[in-house]
Amino acid sequence: MKVKGQKRQDILKYAGILFKDKGFHNTKMDDIAVAAGVGKGTLYEYFKSKQDIFDEACIEYVELTIETIQDVSNMESTFDEKLLALFNVKVKMESEFENIIIDNVLSWKNIMSEKTVKTIIKKISEIYKLVATIIDQGKEEGVVVKNIPSEIIACSIIGTMSEYLVYNIKNKDNEIKENDLIIDLLYNGFAVK
Amino acid sequence: MKVKGQKRQDILKYAGILFKDKGFHNTKMDDIAVAAGVGKGTLYEYFKSKQDIFDEACIEYVELTIETIQDVSNMESTFDEKLLALFNVKVKMESEFENIIIDNVLSWKNIMSEKTVKTIIKKISEIYKLVATIIDQGKEEGVVVKNIPSEIIACSIIGTMSEYLVYNIKNKDNEIKENDLIIDLLYNGFAVK
Amino acid sequence: MKVKGQKRQDILKYAGILFKDKGFHNTKMDDIAVAAGVGKGTLYEYFKSKQDIFDEACIEYVELTIETIQDVSNMESTFDEKLLALFNVKVKMESEFENIIIDNVLSWKNIMSEKTVKTIIKKISEIYKLVATIIDQGKEEGVVVKNIPSEIIACSIIGTMSEYLVYNIKNKDNEIKENDLIIDLLYNGFAVK
Amino acid sequence: MKVKGQKRQDILKYAGILFKDKGFHNTKMDDIAVAAGVGKGTLYEYFKSKQDIFDEACIEYVELTIETIQDVSNMESTFDEKLLALFNVKVKMESEFENIIIDNVLSWKNIMSEKTVKTIIKKISEIYKLVATIIDQGKEEGVVVKNIPSEIIACSIIGTMSEYLVYNIKNKDNEIKENDLIIDLLYNGFAVK
DNA sequence: AATGAATGAGTATTCATTCAT
DNA sequence: CATGAATGAATACTCATTCAT
């Protein structure tokens, strides 16, 4: 079983798209083979099983997410700018793979192998840490309160972001601007001052 | 002295639990029959198909959620108390059926029938409206800012709640208290004043 | 298990109609119960099984056929008239129960019980004998050749009749008249004299 | 060195035998797979469904019948010889597949697909035409009367043949000889001259 | 006697996986 | 390396039969 190579990447890429569109059980090995432009037998040259492809595709996706957030984190920008970038990057991500993995690792535990679930949970905590890093920058810049742990703030940001995207599902293309109320809400909360 | 329709309710109840635990495709009709304590054929006396059971179980769950939130909304309490209740009620709900439905209506579109997806989307907007009603009360009480639409605030609350539960997944039994930082975050945001 | 009674007759009658219209396997016990206007359980008060109903209905039908031919045989008529009557009676019979039984006892052996097949084969030979009796009358009248056994002539008559009905399937209502070519054929054959 | 399509032919052949022996509903896909010496899944590589196999097997059989009769028609023989050949060929056919199809296209309409029924009815009319051609030859030879349409004479011949075979069911191997009474009957009828 | 709700044995079909070429 | 024809385990659903009322 080969572990590297362009063909392997192709399979993962097209399988990922199909899993996203049709779910695990409605995606057939035939579909994947056709989409990836290889013979059905070839899938088994690169992967042990359908399960295996699914697991790898999920990990692949999470890693892509991490890279994207890493990119945001690495930007030469203020906290404010990065927060906005995070929102808008998330929009793009969501529209590519929806939230079947990140938001549902736990519901999907019966599809992913135990081992992959663990891998992904670990990777998700990386995402939290990355977002927390960005928040730490905000604290250093003096725009974020210091008395709340960054990871809890990350919770609020990621959760609000996700929910807002569902709420706004129809206007997927809309970019979030810095003066959007949802941003104001994150910064200032809803309490009357 | 069985109540008429009791058997139907039993089937829905146990099917719901199984779907939640193992997903649609990994739940077999046999499993449901055994769990509900009826013969396999009996399932088809009450439901047209497995699909039908799934759809009804989902609707049932969403309706249960609505009722629960309705109860919170109907409480003779301040906004502050209701918000806390919402958090803690959500904890209990989640631990019973996770969020496979609400958060994923759109990803599940290939499992639920088109008709049921529409029904559920309508019902979810009821949830938003109910939460918005609670927020309106907060506005009347003068504790919630009036310049942000209640539904957007609902987004922030529901999203933060969901994410916080995932973050806190290991300590499921922990009740959220009024002085929890996550509540502070919702009220005041993370901006330095 | 009751063996007599109007309700039993009703069941047989409606079951016969359904078997004829839809075949054995496509006729459900539910259908029979509804058609006969009784409860499903009641069918089992009068019959051991679906198989049993089918067998009895077949026998019933063959007996009806025999009675009909008996009636023709008993007519106060010449051979010529009886032959014509036979043709036209057959038309009516066919249109009521097609030829699923008489013509196919052997093909249906897997549906009818062995015992019923034997019963019916015996009854069919009665039909042959009845037709032979009519032919004997023709011999006595001096219109039918005496050197061919009546049962072989019966073969020719019954076979030609059946096939002609299939050939003429579209004009079911057409009565065969004494000057029809098919009758001429039976009397005189196709050889040039 | 298997011929392309050989496996498909095998399936059809063995399915045909089973359908003939046990009927449509009593022939299981498992039976066909075992009889044809292939895996159950393989059946679905070559046919869409059980229905499809049945339909094709029926058509196959009718085509075989047509070919056989065509062969008789093509013989370099007199009408008398061909008529005899027809009788004896029919014996062999019958003993291989009985008459479940030809005689019953109409009763079977709920088993065969509508499309196949139409196909077969068309093919059966070919059989009539073929037999009529043979009769035409008889007319040319001056041994068959010219005032009766050949297709009606075909009716008489085919019907008498079928019925005689049922009558003679026990002595299947007996060949019909030119001086058999049944042949005399067809040529000269039963009328006293 | 009459019923019909409950049942579970029985079957067509699907699809991940194998392996000869 | 690559393939896809062949496979059979697995499963939703049907319907004759039973039996408590």
Side-chain angles (χ1 to χ4, degrees):
Chain A
M1 188 144 34
K2 291 143 96 193
V3 293
K4 292 268 177 202
Q6 185 54 45
K7 200 169 279 190
R8 189 185 151 91
Q9 282 311 305
D10 282 351
I11 294 171
L12 275 185
K13 173 179 151 197
Y14 289 105
I17 294 172
L18 287 167
F19 285 137
K20 154 195 158 319
D21 281 351
K22 324 183 348 158
F24 180 78
H25 287 284
N26 291 321
T27 297
K28 315 303 174 191
M29 290 302 265
D30 267 340
D31 300 338
I32 298 175
V34 169
V38 300
K40 205 170 4 155
T42 307
L43 299 180
Y44 290 86
E45 292 282 324
Y46 292 91
F47 300 93
K48 214 163 68 298
S49 65
K50 183 184 178 184
Q51 186 58 211
D52 191 30
I53 300 181
F54 183 77
D55 284 12
E56 299 262 19
C58 288
I59 292 174
E60 185 95 346
Y61 171 71
V62 179
E63 279 172 351
L64 181 63
T65 305
I66 290 176
E67 274 170 39
T68 315
I69 298 181
Q70 186 69 260
D71 287 347
V72 170
S73 179
N74 289 344
M75 281 162 56
E76 298 273 350
S77 319
T78 62
F79 164 78
D80 294 346
E81 287 162 345
K82 288 187 181 177
L83 180 64
L84 224 52
L86 213 54
F87 246 85
N88 288 312
V89 142
K90 180 125 169 102
V91 172
K92 224 173 296 165
M93 300 294 298
E94 294 293 315
S95 68
E96 285 208 3
F97 209 156
E98 311 240 339
N99 49 0
I100 67 166
I101 302 169
I102 296 196
D103 291 348
N104 296 296
V105 177
L106 295 142
S107 314
W108 287 83
K109 61 177 168 299
N110 50 316
I111 294 190
M112 284 187 211
S113 74
E114 205 60 34
K115 184 162 161 296
T116 305
V117 169
K118 279 186 189 135
T119 306
I120 289 196
I121 286 181
K122 220 160 74 189
K123 284 183 185 298
I124 286 181
S125 79
E126 278 184 55
I127 292 181
Y128 263 86
K129 287 213 186 70
L130 272 172
V131 175
T133 306
I134 295 174
I135 292 162
D136 286 341
Q137 179 185 342
K139 286 179 176 174
E140 274 164 35
E141 290 176 10
V143 293
V144 174
V145 290
K146 296 209 167 72
N147 65 315
I148 303 180
S150 297
E151 294 216 342
I152 291 185
I153 295 177
C155 249
S156 176
I157 291 173
I158 293 173
T160 299
M161 265 173 15
S162 300
E163 193 67 23
Y164 192 62
L165 290 171
V166 172
Y167 175 72
N168 256 357
I169 203 75
K170 290 141 209 159
N171 10 343
K172 277 194 170 181
D173 309 320
N174 272 7
E175 219 178 70
I176 312 298
K177 300 282 169 38
E178 107 193 73
N179 55 352
D180 269 336
L181 287 172
I182 196 75
I183 298 292
D184 178 35
L185 208 48
L186 282 173
Y187 275 90
N188 299 311
F190 51 65
V192 170
K193 303 298 158 348
Chain B
M1 192 165 54
K2 279 252 193 76
V3 183
K4 188 171 132 59
Q6 184 55 50
K7 197 165 283 188
R8 193 187 147 89
Q9 283 310 307
D10 282 354
I11 294 171
L12 273 186
K13 175 179 149 197
Y14 289 104
I17 295 173
L18 286 167
F19 284 137
K20 157 199 160 306
D21 281 352
K22 332 202 313 175
F24 180 78
H25 287 285
N26 290 321
T27 298
K28 313 303 174 193
M29 290 304 265
D30 270 344
D31 300 339
I32 298 176
V34 169
V38 300
K40 206 180 344 163
T42 306
L43 300 180
Y44 292 88
E45 291 277 321
Y46 293 91
F47 300 92
K48 220 164 67 294
S49 64
K50 182 181 178 185
Q51 184 59 211
D52 192 28
I53 299 181
F54 183 77
D55 283 14
E56 298 265 18
C58 289
I59 292 175
E60 185 95 347
Y61 171 70
V62 178
E63 279 172 353
L64 182 63
T65 305
I66 291 178
E67 274 170 38
T68 314
I69 298 181
Q70 185 76 61
D71 287 346
V72 170
S73 179
N74 289 343
M75 282 164 56
E76 298 272 351
S77 318
T78 63
F79 165 77
D80 293 348
E81 287 161 346
K82 287 187 182 178
L83 180 63
L84 225 50
L86 213 55
F87 247 84
N88 289 313
V89 141
K90 180 123 169 101
V91 173
K92 225 173 294 163
M93 299 293 300
E94 294 293 314
S95 69
E96 285 208 4
F97 208 158
E98 312 240 338
N99 50 357
I100 68 166
I101 303 168
I102 296 194
D103 290 350
N104 295 297
V105 175
L106 295 141
S107 320
W108 287 83
K109 59 178 168 301
N110 47 343
I111 293 191
M112 283 187 213
S113 74
E114 205 60 33
K115 187 163 161 293
T116 304
V117 170
K118 278 186 190 135
T119 305
I120 289 197
I121 286 180
K122 221 161 73 188
K123 285 185 184 298
I124 286 181
S125 80
E126 278 183 54
I127 293 182
Y128 263 86
K129 287 213 186 70
L130 271 172
V131 175
T133 306
I134 295 175
I135 292 163
D136 285 341
Q137 179 185 341
K139 287 179 175 174
E140 273 165 36
E141 289 176 12
V143 295
V144 174
V145 291
K146 296 208 167 77
N147 67 314
I148 303 180
S150 298
E151 295 217 341
I152 291 186
I153 297 178
C155 252
S156 175
I157 292 174
I158 293 173
T160 300
M161 262 174 17
S162 300
E163 193 68 23
Y164 191 63
L165 290 172
V166 172
Y167 175 71
N168 257 357
I169 203 74
K170 288 141 208 157
N171 7 342
K172 277 193 172 184
D173 308 321
N174 274 6
E175 224 180 60
I176 312 297
K177 299 284 168 34
E178 120 194 60
N179 55 351
D180 267 336
L181 287 172
I182 196 78
I183 297 292
D184 179 36
L185 209 47
L186 281 173
Y187 274 90
N188 300 311
F190 49 65
V192 169
K193 306 294 160 351
Chain C
M1 189 143 34
K2 292 142 100 191
V3 291
K4 293 270 176 200
Q6 185 54 47
K7 201 169 277 190
R8 189 184 151 90
Q9 283 310 305
D10 283 351
I11 294 171
L12 274 184
K13 174 179 151 197
Y14 289 105
I17 294 172
L18 287 167
F19 284 136
K20 155 196 157 321
D21 281 351
K22 324 183 349 157
F24 180 78
H25 287 285
N26 291 322
T27 297
K28 314 303 174 192
M29 290 301 264
D30 267 340
D31 300 338
I32 298 175
V34 169
V38 300
K40 205 169 6 151
T42 307
L43 299 179
Y44 291 85
E45 292 283 324
Y46 293 91
F47 300 93
K48 215 162 72 296
S49 64
K50 182 184 179 185
Q51 185 58 209
D52 192 28
I53 299 181
F54 183 76
D55 284 12
E56 299 263 19
C58 288
I59 292 174
E60 185 94 348
Y61 171 71
V62 178
E63 280 172 353
L64 181 63
T65 304
I66 290 177
E67 274 169 39
T68 314
I69 298 182
Q70 187 67 260
D71 287 347
V72 170
S73 181
N74 290 343
M75 281 164 56
E76 298 274 351
S77 318
T78 63
F79 165 77
D80 294 347
E81 288 161 345
K82 288 187 181 177
L83 181 63
L84 226 51
L86 214 54
F87 247 85
N88 288 313
V89 142
K90 179 121 171 105
V91 173
K92 223 173 297 164
M93 299 295 297
E94 293 294 314
S95 68
E96 283 205 7
F97 209 156
E98 312 240 337
N99 49 359
I100 68 168
I101 304 169
I102 296 195
D103 292 348
N104 295 295
V105 176
L106 295 141
S107 315
W108 286 85
K109 60 176 170 300
N110 50 315
I111 293 191
M112 283 186 211
S113 73
E114 205 59 35
K115 185 164 160 293
T116 304
V117 170
K118 280 186 189 136
T119 305
I120 289 197
I121 285 181
K122 220 162 72 191
K123 285 184 184 298
I124 286 181
S125 79
E126 277 184 54
I127 292 181
Y128 263 86
K129 287 212 185 70
L130 271 172
V131 175
T133 306
I134 294 175
I135 292 163
D136 286 340
Q137 179 185 341
K139 287 179 176 172
E140 274 164 36
E141 289 176 14
V143 293
V144 174
V145 292
K146 297 209 166 75
N147 66 316
I148 303 180
S150 297
E151 295 216 342
I152 291 185
I153 297 178
C155 250
S156 176
I157 292 174
I158 293 173
T160 300
M161 264 173 15
S162 301
E163 194 68 23
Y164 192 62
L165 290 172
V166 172
Y167 175 72
N168 258 355
I169 203 74
K170 288 142 208 158
N171 8 341
K172 277 195 172 180
D173 308 321
N174 273 7
E175 219 177 69
I176 312 297
K177 298 284 168 35
E178 105 195 74
N179 56 351
D180 268 337
L181 288 172
I182 196 78
I183 298 293
D184 178 36
L185 209 47
L186 281 173
Y187 275 89
N188 300 311
F190 50 66
V192 170
K193 305 298 165 342
Chain D
M1 192 163 55
K2 279 251 194 75
V3 184
K4 189 170 132 58
Q6 184 54 51
K7 197 167 283 191
R8 192 187 147 89
Q9 282 311 306
D10 282 353
I11 294 172
L12 273 186
K13 175 179 149 196
Y14 289 105
I17 294 172
L18 287 167
F19 284 137
K20 157 198 160 308
D21 281 351
K22 332 202 311 174
F24 180 78
H25 288 285
N26 290 321
T27 298
K28 312 304 172 192
M29 291 302 267
D30 270 342
D31 301 339
I32 299 175
V34 169
V38 300
K40 206 177 346 163
T42 306
L43 300 180
Y44 291 88
E45 291 277 321
Y46 293 91
F47 299 92
K48 220 166 66 289
S49 64
K50 183 182 176 183
Q51 183 59 213
D52 191 28
I53 298 181
F54 183 77
D55 284 13
E56 298 264 18
C58 288
I59 292 175
E60 185 94 349
Y61 171 70
V62 178
E63 279 173 352
L64 182 62
T65 304
I66 290 177
E67 275 170 37
T68 315
I69 298 181
Q70 185 77 62
D71 286 347
V72 171
S73 179
N74 290 343
M75 282 164 55
E76 298 272 353
S77 319
T78 64
F79 166 77
D80 294 347
E81 287 162 344
K82 287 187 181 177
L83 181 63
L84 225 51
L86 214 53
F87 248 83
N88 288 312
V89 141
K90 179 120 169 103
V91 173
K92 224 172 295 164
M93 300 293 300
E94 293 293 313
S95 68
E96 285 208 4
F97 208 157
E98 313 238 338
N99 51 357
I100 67 166
I101 301 169
I102 297 195
D103 292 346
N104 294 297
V105 176
L106 295 142
S107 319
W108 286 83
K109 60 179 168 301
N110 47 343
I111 293 191
M112 282 187 213
S113 74
E114 204 60 33
K115 186 163 161 294
T116 304
V117 170
K118 278 186 190 134
T119 305
I120 289 196
I121 286 181
K122 220 160 74 187
K123 284 182 184 300
I124 286 180
S125 79
E126 278 184 54
I127 292 182
Y128 264 87
K129 287 212 187 70
L130 272 172
V131 175
T133 306
I134 296 175
I135 292 163
D136 285 340
Q137 178 184 343
K139 287 178 177 175
E140 275 165 35
E141 291 175 9
V143 295
V144 174
V145 291
K146 296 208 167 76
N147 66 315
I148 303 180
S150 298
E151 294 216 341
I152 290 185
I153 297 178
C155 252
S156 175
I157 293 174
I158 293 172
T160 299
M161 264 172 17
S162 300
E163 193 67 22
Y164 191 62
L165 290 170
V166 173
Y167 175 72
N168 256 355
I169 204 76
K170 289 140 209 159
N171 9 341
K172 277 195 172 181
D173 308 320
N174 274 6
E175 226 182 57
I176 312 296
K177 300 283 169 33
E178 122 193 56
N179 55 352
D180 268 337
L181 287 172
I182 196 77
I183 298 292
D184 178 36
L185 208 47
L186 281 173
Y187 275 90
N188 300 311
F190 51 65
V192 170
K193 304 296 160 351

